[in-house]
Amino acid sequence: MSDYKYSIEAKNVNKIFFKRSKEIRALIDFNIQIKKGSIHGLLGPNGAGKSTFINILGGLVKKNTGNVSICGIDIDRDAKLSKYKIGIVPQELNIDPFFSPLELLELQAGLYGIPKSKRKTDEILHNLKLNEQRHAYARTLSGGMRRRLLIAKALVHSPEMLILDEPTAGVDIEIRSSVWNYIKKINNLGTTICLTTHYLEEAENLCDNISIINYGKKIKEDSKQNLLKIISNKTVSFIINGKFQIPEDLKFYNPIKNENELILQYDKNKTNLKSIIDVINKNKIDFKEINTSESDLEDVFLKLTKNNEN
């Protein structure tokens, strides 16, 4: 593979559409750097500009201004080579209904000029759990199978960069898990992954780094761990044996008393759970059960996009 630091690098990208003479700014000075070998999440609400950017990478939409490179290759200087470096899995299930998965992958490999001896059709069908349907018409496949077939098509030329636009939309939980495992597998083999998703659980499970986009602007880009630190609130609940009064020492933690349950909130960056338990023990409150929960990526996403709204 080529020597480059970022699989995708975009600088000050702008895209303006006109709809009924009205100007729509789909991307505004958009910047992103996707590290080689990483799994990068591109998150944002509907209409944020995610698909516009992906379509620019695939050559389906022309940007107005800015620079974009794919695997170190400027898309304006060498559009053909830059497209060969990536595989794109679109949201739309655009599959010829009268071809089988086997035929579609072989056709795709042929379009990329891959010799028959170097094709990975059987391996891809097996890994995406489409082997049993290899000879079935695509129109007979379920929505989840078609989604996996789109991923399979994007992998036939062994791209250095794989872009997944909502890769598990309409896929059941069991198949979603197998798709996640396969994404991790191909990433471990060296393929850089960029995915857009509405499933925040998916981004939290898969991504190393995340960019959050809203109204065409990037509002945050950081590692998953750092983004989760933005909201550091934790909730702890104690199931108490017998009657109890809330000690003054715990008023700082916004206590809530529900019959035999005591619920407290604290900032995990400032307080650790042991200090709270020490206060409870000091006040001779006997508890039989303790449960904790903390903010997830959805809380971060909602906070950042809400702050960004006009």
Side-chain angles (χ1 to χ4, degrees):
M1 292 189 181
S2 310
D3 185 29
Y4 53 87
K5 186 176 180 182
Y6 299 109
S7 294
I8 299 289
E9 189 167 19
K11 295 178 182 176
N12 301 321
V13 174
N14 287 275
K15 178 59 189 175
I16 298 170
F17 291 106
F18 290 93
K19 190 174 182 180
R20 295 174 186 166
S21 301
K22 185 182 176 184
E23 183 179 286
I24 298 169
R25 301 193 70 188
L27 291 172
I28 304 167
D29 294 328
F30 182 68
N31 295 277
I32 192 170
Q33 291 178 322
I34 298 177
K35 290 179 183 175
K36 181 181 180 181
S38 68
I39 301 181
H40 195 108
L42 184 58
L43 307 187
N46 285 331
K50 306 184 301 294
S51 292
T52 297
F53 181 62
I54 288 172
N55 287 335
I56 288 171
L57 294 176
L60 299 175
V61 169
K62 287 199 173 292
K63 57 186 167 53
N64 293 101
T65 58
N67 298 298
V68 177
S69 63
I70 299 172
C71 301
I73 298 156
D74 189 295
I75 64 170
D76 295 324
R77 289 182 192 155
D78 198 335
K80 187 175 179 181
L81 182 56
S82 69
K83 287 177 189 174
Y84 192 86
K85 295 285 184 180
I86 58 172
I88 296 180
V89 182
Q91 283 187 48
E92 299 78 20
L93 295 171
N94 55 351
I95 297 170
D96 192 309
F98 298 104
F99 281 83
S100 68
L102 176 66
E103 290 168 333
L104 283 168
L105 295 197
E106 286 294 295
L107 177 62
Q108 189 84 347
L111 290 172
Y112 275 102
I114 300 165
K116 288 202 171 187
S117 61
K118 293 186 177 179
R119 294 180 188 179
K120 299 178 179 179
T121 303
D122 290 337
E123 177 192 326
I124 293 169
L125 289 172
H126 173 75
N127 283 324
L128 285 166
K129 294 183 167 47
L130 288 168
N131 216 28
E132 290 182 16
Q133 294 81 24
R134 62 193 289 124
H135 297 300
Y137 283 133
R139 61 187 167 89
T140 68
L141 302 179
S142 68
M145 289 175 185
R146 293 183 195 187
R147 182 72 56 193
R148 283 179 279 147
L149 182 51
L150 281 179
I151 296 173
K153 281 183 66 182
L155 290 170
V156 296
H157 62 296
S158 302
E160 293 179 36
M161 173 86 211
L162 183 64
I163 297 169
L164 303 161
D165 197 0
E166 301 288 345
T168 58
V171 174
D172 64 49
I173 292 171
E174 184 182 350
I175 295 299
R176 190 184 303 168
S177 178
S178 72
V179 170
W180 289 359
N181 288 336
Y182 189 51
I183 289 171
K184 288 176 182 175
K185 180 181 176 180
I186 58 177
N187 175 248
N188 287 335
L189 292 172
T191 305
T192 308
I193 311 281
C194 174
L195 67 93
T196 75
T197 179
H198 279 91
Y199 299 114
L200 289 157
E201 179 196 1
E202 186 161 71
E204 203 160 345
N205 187 291
L206 292 173
C207 297
D208 307 309
N209 301 292
I210 291 169
S211 300
I212 297 176
I213 180 174
N214 202 15
Y215 297 114
K217 295 180 181 178
K218 186 180 75 180
I219 56 175
K220 192 73 177 176
E221 183 174 276
D222 212 330
S223 69
K224 177 176 63 183
Q225 286 76 15
N226 285 343
L227 284 173
L228 290 172
K229 286 177 186 174
I230 290 173
I231 296 180
S232 53
N233 295 337
K234 286 195 76 164
T235 301
V236 58
S237 68
F238 297 89
I239 306 300
I240 310 296
N241 287 316
K243 294 182 179 180
F244 70 98
Q245 293 296 320
I246 298 172
E248 282 295 321
D249 300 10
L250 295 178
K251 295 285 175 72
F252 175 74
Y253 302 110
N254 301 314
I256 299 170
K257 183 180 180 182
N258 289 330
E259 296 181 1
N260 67 330
E261 184 181 29
L262 174 63
I263 301 169
L264 305 170
Q265 291 185 334
Y266 66 98
D267 185 333
K268 66 182 181 183
N269 293 333
K270 297 177 181 176
T271 307
N272 61 52
L273 184 56
K274 184 180 180 301
S275 64
I276 293 174
I277 294 172
D278 287 344
V279 172
I280 286 183
N281 288 335
K282 186 181 81 174
N283 285 275
K284 297 181 180 177
I285 297 172
D286 183 28
F287 64 90
K288 60 182 177 181
E289 190 177 317
I290 180 170
N291 296 291
T292 62
S293 63
E294 61 184 301
S295 303
D296 59 17
L297 198 55
E298 186 163 7
D299 299 314
V300 178
F301 177 77
L302 290 172
K303 179 179 179 180
L304 289 171
T305 52
K306 187 175 180 181
N307 290 344
N308 184 244
E309 286 175 3
N310 297 321

